[in-house]
Each structure stands twice: as structure tokens, then as C-alpha cells.
Amino acid sequence: MTCPGVTSCASRPPGQDGGMTYSCARVPVAAVALVDDLARPTRLLAARRSGPPALAGGWEFPGGKVEPGEPPAGAAVREAREELGVRVELGDPVGPGPWPLGATHEMWLWWAVTCPGEPEPQPLADHDELRWVTLETLRDVPWLANDRAVVDHVEAFLVPVADLA
């Protein structure tokens, strides 16, 4: 996918995205693993929840609920714009399919980078702080319990900063 369009998924049938179909058994959530480089990511953006009270203070991947009839990839792009104030280019999905978020939700997650010329992401909605974490600092933030398996998966793809020197 390329910037600045929403995504090429907009023309796909509702509920389908790149051959992946989401289930109606759980509420679909779309999010981005925003990194500095899709090929050799060294930094990942973590977002601290400002609410609801049960989640406030926990760190997560920025994203939100998929609207009815909206492709998950389109929702991920929309949510990045609404929550972070940036246009993003999506890379590959993170993992083989949705990640369970408790008993009621599932998260579709994509690797993403900000589009050229975009400002630094800002916590505009649902978050009160953003932090770029590296392989070395990934565990310095208290990730939400439902995101920990995803963090474990993402960790294997982050390149140590020292390897770039």
C-alpha cells in the first residue's frame, strides 16, 4: 500500500482484507505496530491508555474498533489518523491472523510507518502519552495483559540499535 490514499483495501468486500476474513464472533479491532522502518525496525510506538478506568495507564498498540462494513486495514489507517494525527503506510500483517483480546475482541495488527512528511505522532484520542521503545526498552512499559503475546511476537522482529552502528 502506498500513501496518501486510505488503502487499496477500500474496494474489497466488507469483512475481507488481503485474503484474511475476520470473524463476527468477536468485535474486530484494527491497530498498527508503528515502527521507524518496515525492513529493519529499531523503534516501535507504544501508546498509554487514558481510559476506561480498567485500562488506563496500560500500554498498547494504537488502534480501535472496526466500523460495520469497514475493512480492517482501512480501520487501522483511520485509527492512526484519529489517534495519532498521522497518515500511515501499512506493511504486512503482524502474525497469521487476529490476536485475541480477551473473550470479546480480536485485534488485527499491521506493521506500519508514517508517510513521508508527516509530523511526529501525538496522543490525540484515547491515549495520554506515546513512547518510542526499542528492543532494549520494549519491556520498560507495562503493556496491557491482552497485548503481551503480541509484544512477545513483535520482539523477534526488532533490530537492536547497536546492530545499526
Side-chain angles (χ1 to χ4, degrees), residues 19-43:
M20 300 181 302
T21 303
Y22 62 86
S23 149
C24 293
R26 294 182 181 193
V27 176
V29 171
V32 294
L34 192 63
V35 293
D36 56 342
D37 186 282
L38 291 174
R40 291 184 52 100
T42 61
R43 297 186 316 155

Side-chain angles (χ1 to χ4, degrees), residues 47-73:
R48 187 172 69 185
R49 292 285 312 203
S50 55
L55 301 176
W59 292 77
E60 68 177 0
F61 297 92
K65 291 181 185 168
V66 177
E67 299 294 331
E70 182 180 36

